[in-house]
Every structure is written in C-alpha cells, then in structure tokens.
Amino acid sequence: QVQLVESGGGLVQAGGSLRLSCVTSGSIFSINAMAWYRQAPGKQRDLVAIISSTGTTRYVDSVKGRFTISRDNAKNTVYLQMNNLTPEDTAVYYCNARASLLTTRVLLDWGQGTQVTVSS
C-alpha cells in the first residue's frame, strides 16, 4: 500500500519560515503531479500548491510569493518552502498525488499530515 509521510511542521512566529517534506513511493511519485493541501480547525481541506511531473507549479492566491513547491524525483519527495508565515497559515498540512494539474481527485489515502502553527 502506497503511503504518504509528511514532516517538517512546527511552531513558528509570524514572519518565520518552515520547510515541509512529503515522501511517497516511486511508482506514484514519478508519473503524477504532487500537491500540498491544508486544513485549518473547523474548515475543509483546501489545495495550497501543486507541481506537475515536469515541474510546472500553481499556487492559491493567498500563498503566492510566500510559498514555493518543489520536487526531487530521485528522492520521491515533494517540498513546500513557506516564508513570511502568518497566523492564517496555521493548519495541518497534507500532501497527495493527482493525475495532473487539471484534475482534482487525489490518488492516495491521506497521510497523518504535519501541524503548522504560526503565533502572532
């Protein structure tokens, strides 16, 4: 069974930075887009950023210019560099695979996520 393992979350002050990592199996990683999502308390899980198998990226407006998604195909790992964090970024962050940038259905069961807490 393919698993997703997210890491890198923590507690940071507003204006700080964190780098999240997500590892999955090579058979899924190399041929699909990878995406980061987040879920704040009491809210639905929303897409934050996505990167295609060839490196094309997309971001939601609220994180443009602050977050950077990247992938290391040799390590089957996708990263989310988060800079200039605000309390509104507080959430559990998850990654998942999608068939492409244009599809919305995720391909894998959700992992445990990684908690990001930004204090003001």
Side-chain angles (χ1 to χ4, degrees):
Q1 183 177 356
V2 178
Q3 290 185 320
L4 296 160
V5 180
E6 301 97 341
S7 62
L11 174 63
V12 64
Q13 289 187 332
S17 298
L18 285 172
R19 189 193 194 204
L20 307 183
S21 300
C22 170
V23 182
T24 187
S25 73
S27 61
I28 289 291
F29 188 88
S30 62
I31 63 174
N32 289 288
M34 295 296 297
W36 282 99
Y37 297 77
R38 64 186 179 188
Q39 186 169 21
K43 296 186 177 181
Q44 67 181 19
R45 183 154 38 201
D46 291 324
L47 178 68
V48 174
I50 185 169
I51 184 167
S52 73
S53 59
T54 56
T56 301
T57 59
R58 297 286 187 271
Y59 300 91
V60 295
D61 287 345
S62 61
V63 307
K64 285 181 180 177
R66 301 189 299 122
F67 290 12
T68 302
I69 189 171
S70 61
R71 63 193 292 161
D72 185 334
N73 291 336
K75 296 181 179 180
N76 300 331
T77 302
V78 60
Y79 303 99
L80 187 67
Q81 176 67 45
M82 306 186 297
N83 299 327
N84 194 20
L85 285 160
T86 73
E88 289 69 35
D89 296 315
T90 294
V92 180
Y93 284 70
Y94 302 87
C95 68
N96 215 311
R98 292 176 18 171
S100 73
L101 297 183
L102 301 179
T103 61
T104 58
R105 185 175 67 90
V106 297
L107 301 179
L108 302 173
D109 292 336
W110 294 101
Q112 82 288 352
T114 186
Q115 175 71 49
V116 172
T117 303
V118 184
S119 62
S120 58

